[in-house]
Amino acid sequence: MASSAGPEIERLIALLAKLPGLGPRSARRAALMLLKRREQLLGPLAQALAEAAAKVTTCATCGALDTTDPCAICADPRRDGALLCVVEEVGALWAMERASAFRGRYHVLGGLLSALDGVGPDALRIAALAARASDEAVREVILALPATVDGQTTSHYLADRLASAGVAVTMLARGVPVGGELDWLDDGTIAQAMRARRPA
Ligand SMILES: [Zn+2]
């Protein structure tokens, strides 16, 4: 594509286009919006980006992102250290926190096992998980991984790997989503929900 703006602006557009959900066209629109609203938007955004780049770090214990290491969740004495929730990425941790349904601690794997993409156990934070799970304070490891082929493969691998750690290993239930109409669900979800039924 022929460049129509100066090199600084083209560089801004090229970087924005690397963000998830933004293609070249929407990156161009976003850049234009930022440049039009330099004081309200571009300045504060640049400052927030610089602060995040300088301060945000990965928690060496759980793999979450925070400005402190250990992160606020690992350091919070009110969180239940007996419960360890395993998630694929930090985004899933944030989703769990938004739901306010879990008061234990987390372990971020950093991906899923994938034969197709050549991701093996050593590429993920699995050895660190096994070490944490064998800590006598941990009672239950909850596998909160995606309901995909790679997610299930990873869950089964982890259940095997943790079998000797002396902890209960559980998985999130699969089934009918809140507000879900049965005739809109796919066959796999209905079959899972039937298998996972419980006393009413
Ligand atoms: Zn942490």
Side-chain angles (χ1 to χ4, degrees), residues 16 21 31 58 65 82 136 152 157 196:
L16 286 171
T58 300
L65 294 171
E136 58 189 26
Q152 285 189 340
Y157 176 87

Side-chain angles (χ1 to χ4, degrees), residues 87-110:
V87 291
E88 177 188 2
E89 286 293 358
V90 177
L93 185 161
W94 290 345
M96 292 287 290
E97 286 296 289
R98 281 199 303 275
S100 302
F102 180 64
R103 294 301 298 166
R105 300 217 167 97
Y106 293 95
H107 191 87
V108 180
L109 281 184

Side-chain angles (χ1 to χ4, degrees), residues 104-158:
R105 300 217 167 97
Y106 293 95
H107 191 87
V108 180
L109 281 184
L112 297 173
L113 295 176
S114 169
L116 211 61
D117 298 325
V119 182
D122 294 341
L124 306 175
R125 302 180 67 252
I126 288 178
L129 171 64
R132 290 183 79 190
S134 47
D135 185 312
E136 58 189 26
V138 174
R139 251 186 8 251
E140 179 180 353
V141 173
I142 301 151
L143 304 175
L145 298 176
T148 60
V149 172
D150 287 349
Q152 285 189 340
T153 305
T154 310
S155 289
H156 287 133
Y157 176 87
L158 292 178

Side-chain angles (χ1 to χ4, degrees), residues 8 20 22 52 64 68-69 76 78 88 90 100 111 119 125 130 138 143 149 160-161 169 182 189 191:
E8 295 84 2
L22 286 190
T68 55
D69 180 15
D76 185 347
R78 292 165 302 176
E88 177 188 2
V90 177
S100 302
V119 182
R125 302 180 67 252
V138 174
L143 304 175
V149 172
D160 275 355
R161 178 92 180 243
V169 181
L182 283 189
T189 302

Side-chain angles (χ1 to χ4, degrees), residues 12-13 16-17 19 22-37 41-42 45:
L12 175 63
I13 293 167
L16 286 171
L19 297 176
L22 286 190
R25 279 177 69 93
S26 38
R28 205 160 279 276
R29 284 175 56 200
L32 190 58
M33 159 81 89
L34 287 167
L35 293 166
K36 275 180 167 170
R37 302 183 59 197
L41 216 49
L42 184 57
L45 179 66

